[in-house]
Amino acid sequence: MPTDPDNDRRTIAFTADGPALVEGPLELVTADGRTILCDRCVVALCLCHRSAIYPLCDTSHRRHRRTVE
């Protein structure tokens, strides 16, 4: 996909043990075709699939910390 230098770029920040943070507002299209409109300035996307509101993060990952062996 070619890039357009005149378009504003979005930043996606991957956190160490949590969600991906995306600069909003944005329109999110899920795998099943649903469209979610997010008006926040930063949107947290779930990467662990534990969220009750997946694909958005509800911080469920905090209750399931990985143990270091």
Side-chain angles (χ1 to χ4, degrees), residues 27-42:
E27 181 177 302
L28 177 64
V29 180
T30 64
D32 63 359
R34 290 182 300 131
T35 300
I36 301 170
L37 300 177
C38 303
D39 292 330
R40 295 178 177 246
C41 61
V42 175

Side-chain angles (χ1 to χ4, degrees), residues 3-33:
T3 59
D4 180 358
D6 294 329
N7 270 346
D8 289 336
R9 293 177 188 242
R10 299 275 183 221
T11 299
I12 301 173
F14 289 94
T15 60
D17 208 17
L21 304 175
V22 183
E23 289 182 359
L26 59 95
E27 181 177 302
L28 177 64
V29 180
T30 64
D32 63 359

Side-chain angles (χ1 to χ4, degrees), residues 51-66:
S51 175
I53 58 171
Y54 183 85
L56 302 174
C57 180
D58 67 0
T59 70
S60 292
H61 61 275
R62 292 180 185 168
R63 293 185 293 276
H64 300 280
R65 290 283 184 198
R66 295 182 191 144

